[in-house]
Amino acid sequence: MNQKEIDQINRGLMHFLDSSPNAFFAVANMKRELRENGCTELFEGDPWKLEAGKGYYVSRNDSALIAFRIPNSDFSGFQMMASHCDSPVFKVKPNAEITVENRYVKLNVERYGGMLCAPWLDRPLSVAGRLTVRAGNGIVTKCINIDRDLLVIPNLAIHMDRQVNEGHAYNAQVDMLPLLGDMEAKEQFMRLIAAEAGVREEDILDTDLYLYNREKATRIGLRGEFLASGRLDDLQCAFASLQGFLRAVPFRSVALHCVYDNEEVGSRTKQGAASTFLKDVLRRICAGFGKTEEEYLRLLASSFLVSADNAHAVHPNHGEKADPTNRPFLNGGIVIKYSANQSYTTDAVSGALFRLICERAEVPYQIFVNRSDMLGGSTLGNLSNTQVALNTADIGLPQLAMHSPYETGGTMDTAYLVKAAGVLFSSSLEGRGDGTYRLMP
Ligand code: CO
């Protein structure tokens, strides 16, 4: 891959990050790209007519998406990559306006997921999400993005909290409420949302509205070798998975690009990785080609799932926080994650299979293991396995400042995962479930 191609991939990634303030927008953007590349949209409530050689996509809750491509020949397995499109963020509560001393209007918000609080302060923020609007005797859903600098969560001055630099305990109900305006803003928040959606305020029945950081994605570093943005975890992997999917021609396996919602709150929702979404899609693909229950289970034995969720790079100021012998760095390649207690699913078989894929893609990989005295995060792989059990490897792209509203990653790493995903989606696993496998062709 030459520099021009790498720059092009990163331009695409930055556009995707900037235009995807939350999961609803990420899914809408992926759908558009799939449609532009000839894939057909399916709906869970419609019958599916599937054809060999064709690409399809289906969403659930407008916040999770599975795209798949059927090979031209009969298929013997599924080659899958899973990522997530939600990020830790503040959600706007119902009845959000709070008046302060008859001079300010602020918004009542609550935490979604575990974020770093401090970097949300003192920067322009806005609001995006979805509304459900009365329509006839039912509802329709609309996505809105107040696409301008709208809110700020102001810090307390150092003079009023002299110890702040020794560590501040952020109280989400006290410290993290964003300022909307002066008293002119009173009763205007929902009016603004209604106006943006082009609907009457009284027709809005409910909302899922989230804050987002207005700072755009940018390349930093002496040669622009790093990339900083909100939501790198996990839109960087979701983007790379999609680009690999669009470039691939499946070989004897169905290729599936899966992007889930709600990873940051445990994945246990109808659109999360622990749901039946993947299982339901796999069963419907099998049904579409007349496969029996036994054939479905046999297909799983020669399938592979790559759970792609960003990983921690060694921090330039805190090298001591990383494992002593496994040191992933930005632009050092795709990170394969291991955990003895299986919070990451990678084992000697799935790890070896993913290493083969990286070798075939000619991209570097590196290893992440938590320090033995540190509890790490969890991710998608083992939750997905409770519904669809198969060989799974947990991987990710190395990044810094995970769960900040402005994270830093490497520009080369995105390109590496695009290539590896391309190889995954163009290959097929031959095996019977006894630890002996061949990666074909
Ligand atoms: Co993640």
Side-chain angles (χ1 to χ4, degrees), residues 77 82 114 149 170 198 290 306 404 437:
D149 300 343
Y170 290 93
V306 174
S404 167
Y437 295 97

Side-chain angles (χ1 to χ4, degrees), residues 20-38:
S20 304
N22 55 50
F24 302 118
F25 287 83
V27 166
N29 288 327
M30 287 188 287
K31 279 188 183 184
R32 187 173 23 83
E33 196 160 357
L34 286 157
R35 189 165 55 239
E36 286 167 3
N37 282 274

Side-chain angles (χ1 to χ4, degrees), residues 84 86 233-234 263-264 308-310 337 378-380 399 402-403:
H84 68 91
D86 62 319
D233 170 19
D234 190 28
E263 192 277 339
E264 301 295 355
D309 191 3
N310 268 5
K337 305 178 189 179
S378 68
T379 182
L380 304 159
Q399 70 158 96
M402 190 178 284
H403 294 190

Side-chain angles (χ1 to χ4, degrees), residues 12-25:
L13 172 61
M14 289 194 283
H15 179 72
F16 181 57
L17 290 161
D18 289 341
S19 59
S20 304
N22 55 50
F24 302 118
F25 287 83

